Every structure is written in structure tokens, then in C-alpha cells.
């Protein structure tokens, strides 16, 4: 009897990473590192957690997941991030 | 290959510029991996866990709208009974519909029983998941699909329910209001709430790009405007006393906040719009006065 009971939907943690949401993008954020002050506001304000700190303290975007919302560009105090229309 | 170290994984189906995704990211960043999360139905649950995937890198359980707080209570009681509570944090994260309307009875019961957990309400001011229907969190004069503005109505007739005060009336040791536009403030408050023993409550203001009608890049900007216009006061209440208030340096008129959103657009064209905007300004002024912002 008990073997027939459904244990519910159990899934692996963090498994949404198989879904590459980068394909949703219309505008692509591009860094101009010469203006960057490494404040990290872009990394903090990314809803996709797809801005990653590099070894030299700058930031880079994981375009596999970036949906191109533009919050990083809007929040950047030094206008380091430019949003350009993506052509695929 | 996913390179992030965040506990809220990318690849979720939130809209571009989603406020709930930001809220979830900040909460997990603040609390760390030793926590169990309960999420009722809502945008956050739907986009973060499309079966058979999950964006959560912590133990997570989906509950119904109405029993979120009851499920969190059960987890806490079970861990205690097994002698495994230790410093594991239990966090229930509901939307405004799940918290203010549907789940309020269960939430009230859990706070009355005094379970050791934190309830976070991510308030985007309507039922966004099902298509922007009015909730108890919808502000005065906002248009939603169930309170549409038109010839016979200017939108939502009733003011927003003051949920933090309701939770305070339960004798909660810690009630706080914050916004996703102030990540550091939000992370500090959520962390503090989980560290305090007893039922604690954090109410997070979260601007929804789809439901409110603004560009996805302005999510944080809109949240900041809500705070700067005093329409959303940010404070901390410990054991019934206000212990911290976010002071506004340059108070801005409510028009700036209203103009930026489609849900208030009608106020600038209907005949008695100016009068309604005046009323909204009065609400903001009352907040500023009441909480000394």
C-alpha cells in the first residue's frame, strides 16, 4: 500500500541552470571597463545572478542567462554598461 | 556552465527585471545556506520551480496559499521534536496575495502560537501571477484587471492594508519594512529577523515590471521612488517600539512616482485626477509625519 503513495515532486537544487534564458534577450549589456569603479552595484542588482566578479575586480556578464533587462546599466553610477540592440 | 555562487540560481523564468527574483536572491544572500524555505503559490513559486527544475539551492517546499505559515510552523515543530533545530532558519516567503489576503488566518495562528520562524512578504501590490488582479496590498487609485479605471471608476477604491501593523499587533518581537531598492537594508533586516527567536515579519516592497507597467530596467529605480516619496516608509519595530526609520533626504512629490507607471497613468487624464493625486500626496505626507521620515 505504502509503495503506491506519491512522495511528491522532488527535484535537484539549482537545476534551472539547464535553461539558458539568454535567448530571451533583445538588448545586450556591454561593459566599458575604463569607466568602472568596481563598486559591484551591477552584480548586486542583477535578478538573474549572472554578473560575476572576475579576478581583476571587474565584472563580466554570463550571456547564457542574461535576459537583457538593463537594471545593471540603469543602476551603474558611472554609465559603464551600454545596452546595445542584439543581432543574432 | 553556470558560474555564479548565488544560492538563487539563474535560469529561472522570471520576467526580465523581475523584482521577486531580486528579493529571493537578497534573502538567500542574507540568511545563507542553513535555511529551509516555504513558498506558497505565486509568481515566485511558479517561475523559480518549473517542474522538474528548481532555482533554489536550499531546502525548499511549496505550500498552498492559505497554509504557508502552518507549513513553516510544522517544519519548526518537527525539527524541534527531532532535536535538530540548532541554528537552522525557517523562512516563509509569500507574495502580497498569499500574505495579506489568503494566508492571513494561518499566518495569524502561527504568530499567535509563537513559532520560531521568519515570514517575508514580497509585496508587488496585486496578484501578478494570474494577471494583475487587485489584492489587499494594491494601493489607492491603481488600475488592475479587477479594478479597471474608466468612466465609472478611477481604479482601486480602497487604500493599501497596513499589514506590518497587523503583524505587530500579534506581539511579534521584530517587524520590519524594507524594499528591494535598498539591498543592503533589506539583507540586514532579513538576517536580523531570522536571528531573533520567535515569529518575525519582514514586509518587502517590490515593483513589478509587468503588473505596474514600466520598463524592466527601472525596477530598482521605481522602488527607490516609492521610498523617496514617502509612499513606502521603511522602518524597524522591535518589541513594539520603532527603533529605526529610513530618513528621506530629498522628499519627492508623488507625481514622479505615479507618472512612471501605467497603472496610475489614468490619473493624469481623467477630470478629477488632480484631486486623487492630491489624496495620494496626503497619504505620503501622513506617512512622513507619522513615522518622522
Amino acid at each position: 500500500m505504502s509503495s503506491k503513495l506519491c512522495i511528491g515532486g522532488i527535484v535537484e537544487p539549482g537545476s534551472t541552470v539547464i535553461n539558458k534564458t539568454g535567448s530571451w534577450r533583445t538588448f545586450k549589456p556591454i561593459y566599458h571597463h575604463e569607466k568602472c569603479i568596481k563598486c559591484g552595484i551591477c552584480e548586486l542588482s542583477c535578478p538573474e545572478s549572472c554578473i560575476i566578479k572576475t579576478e581583476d575586480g571587474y565584472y563580466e556578464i554570463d550571456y547564457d542567462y542574461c535576459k537583457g533587462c538593463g537594471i545593471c546599466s540603469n543602476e551603474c553610477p558611472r554609465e559603464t554598461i551600454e545596452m546595445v540592440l542584439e543581432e543574432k | 556552465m553556470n558560474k555564479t555562487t548565488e544560492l538563487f540560481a539563474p535560469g529561472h523564468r522570471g520576467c526580465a527585471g523581475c523584482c521577486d527574483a531580486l528579493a529571493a536572491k537578497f534573502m538567500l544572500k542574507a540568511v545563507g545556506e542553513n535555511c529551509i524555505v516555504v513558498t506558497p503559490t505565486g509568481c515566485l513559486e511558479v517561475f523559480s520551480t518549473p517542474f522538474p527544475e528548481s532555482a533554489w539551492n536550499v531546502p525548499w517546499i511549496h505550500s498552498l496559499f492559505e497554509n504557508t505559515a502552518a507549513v513553516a510552523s510544522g517544519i519548526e515543530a518537527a525539527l524541534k521534536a527531532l532535536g535538530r533545530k540548532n541554528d537552522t532558519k525557517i523562512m516563509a516567503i509569500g507574495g502580497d496575495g498569499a500574505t495579506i489576503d489568503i494566508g492571513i488566518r494561518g499566518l495569524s495562528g502561527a504568530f499567535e502560537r509563537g513559532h520560531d520562524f521568519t515570514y517575508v512578504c514580497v509585496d508587488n501590490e496585486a496578484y501578478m501571477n494570474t494577471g494583475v488582479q487587485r489584492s489587499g496590498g494594491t494601493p489607492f487609485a491603481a488600475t488592475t484587471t479587477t479594478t479597471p479605471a474608466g468612466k465609472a471608476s478611477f481604479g482601486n477604491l480602497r487604500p493599501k492594508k497596513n499589514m506590518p501593523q497587523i503583524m505587530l499587533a500579534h506581539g511579534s518581537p521584530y517587524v520590519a519594512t524594507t524594499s528591494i531598492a535598498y539591498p543592503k537594508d533589506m539583507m540586514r533586516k532579513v538576517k536580523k529577523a531570522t536571528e531573533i527567536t520567535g515569529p518575525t515579519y519582514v514586509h518587502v516592497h517590490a515593483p513589478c515590471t509587468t503588473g505596474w507597467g514600466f520598463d524592466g530596467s527601472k525596477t530598482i529605480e521605481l522602488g527607490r521612488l516609492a521610498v523617496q516619496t514617502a509612499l513606502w516608509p521603511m522602518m524597524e519595530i522591535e518589541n513594539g517600539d520603532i527603533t529605526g526609520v529610513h530618513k528621506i533626504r530629498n522628499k519627492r512629490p508623488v507625481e514622479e512616482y505615479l507618472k512612471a507607471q501605467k497603472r496610475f497613468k489614468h490619473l493624469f487624464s481623467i477630470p478629477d485626477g488632480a484631486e486623487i493625486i492630491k489624496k495620494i500626496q496626503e497619504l505620503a505626507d501622513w506617512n512622513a509625519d507619522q513615522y518622522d521620515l
Side-chain angles (χ1 to χ4, degrees):
Chain A
M1 182 69 185
S2 62
S3 62
K4 285 183 183 168
L5 287 175
C6 176
I7 53 164
I10 298 173
V11 297
E12 287 295 310
S15 47
T16 48
V17 292
I18 61 162
N19 184 45
K20 302 283 168 70
T21 49
S23 61
W24 299 18
R25 199 167 53 234
T26 310
F27 289 93
K28 187 178 186 176
I30 307 282
Y31 272 103
H32 295 292
H33 279 153
E34 62 278 6
K35 287 194 239 168
C36 179
I37 52 166
K38 304 180 181 177
C39 65
I41 288 175
C42 51
E43 184 203 19
L44 195 59
S45 51
C46 175
E48 311 307 320
S49 318
C50 70
I51 297 181
I52 293 120
K53 197 174 187 169
T54 55
E55 272 174 19
D56 54 3
Y58 290 111
Y59 293 87
E60 64 174 20
I61 293 160
D62 187 346
Y63 291 112
D64 276 356
Y65 300 105
C66 172
K67 291 171 184 163
C69 67
I71 294 182
C72 53
S73 171
N74 198 51
E75 291 304 311
C76 178
R78 291 295 164 99
E79 297 178 352
T80 304
I81 309 162
E82 188 191 355
M83 299 300 290
V84 293
L85 187 65
E86 189 165 21
E87 290 172 50
K88 283 173 185 158
Chain B
M1 182 62 199
N2 164 39
K3 293 174 231 165
T4 182
T5 52
E6 296 291 344
L7 289 168
F8 193 71
H12 59 74
R13 273 58 153 192
C15 303
C18 176
C19 56
D20 277 5
L22 276 171
K25 173 181 158 178
F26 297 152
M27 279 183 267
L28 292 189
K29 224 177 159 71
V31 181
E33 57 184 2
N34 191 9
C35 76
I36 300 175
V37 176
V38 186
T39 308
T41 306
C43 258
L44 181 62
E45 178 267 327
V46 169
F47 81 68
S48 67
T49 57
F51 190 78
E53 294 160 29
S54 169
W56 301 83
N57 275 313
V58 296
W60 176 92
I61 183 168
H62 171 217
S63 74
L64 300 175
F65 265 128
E66 51 273 47
N67 67 0
T68 320
V71 170
S73 311
I75 293 170
E76 188 249 16
L79 286 178
K80 266 192 182 158
L82 294 168
R84 285 167 56 191
K85 176 72 175 72
N86 304 328
D87 49 356
T88 303
K89 316 288 185 201
I90 295 143
M91 201 162 43
I93 308 171
D96 53 303
T99 308
I100 301 174
D101 299 347
I102 311 172
I104 192 169
R105 191 163 66 175
L107 180 56
S108 179
F111 270 57
E112 191 187 316
R113 293 189 298 273
H115 290 282
D116 181 15
F117 79 115
T118 298
Y119 194 101
V120 184
C121 171
V122 182
D123 182 3
N124 55 19
E125 306 192 322
Y127 289 88
M128 298 314 181
N129 179 42
T130 45
V132 203
Q133 288 85 15
R134 179 205 176 273
S135 81
T138 306
F140 176 68
T143 184
T144 66
T145 49
T146 45
T147 58
K151 273 182 197 154
S153 169
F154 56 80
N156 187 26
L157 303 170
R158 300 289 303 154
K160 191 179 172 73
K161 200 191 274 183
N162 194 341
M163 193 64 191
Q165 288 293 336
I166 296 174
M167 298 326 289
L168 189 63
H170 285 76
S172 167
Y174 186 79
V175 173
T177 57
T178 183
S179 165
I180 57 144
Y182 295 82
K184 287 194 178 142
D185 182 88
M186 176 174 167
M187 289 193 278
R188 184 180 62 80
K189 283 173 179 168
V190 171
K191 190 164 193 286
K192 193 168 173 183
T194 55
E195 280 166 0
I196 290 172
T197 310
T200 50
Y201 181 80
V202 181
H203 198 112
V204 182
H205 194 241
C208 169
T209 162
T210 312
W212 297 14
F214 60 85
D215 188 73
S217 63
K218 307 268 190 268
T219 303
I220 292 183
E221 197 180 310
L222 251 289
R224 214 161 30 227
L225 266 176
V227 173
Q228 287 170 343
T229 53
L231 282 169
W232 185 249
M234 296 209 299
M235 64 189 123
E236 272 179 297
I237 307 165
E238 285 171 78
N239 300 313
D241 298 319
I242 298 181
T243 51
V245 174
H246 177 88
K247 297 270 180 192
I248 305 168
R249 267 185 234 141
N250 301 312
K251 192 163 172 283
R252 301 173 63 175
V254 293
E255 280 94 338
E256 281 185 41
Y257 176 65
L258 304 177
K259 245 183 207 157
Q261 307 168 53
K262 251 188 218 153
R263 62 174 182 161
F264 291 116
K265 202 177 154 200
H266 58 285
L267 297 180
F268 296 94
S269 56
I270 57 172
D272 52 350
E275 218 167 281
I276 294 161
I277 294 171
K278 212 176 127 199
K279 269 188 196 165
I280 298 172
Q281 184 65 57
E282 276 167 19
L283 287 175
D285 293 343
W286 187 87
N287 279 340
D289 199 42
Q290 179 79 6
Y291 303 114
D292 194 20
L293 298 176

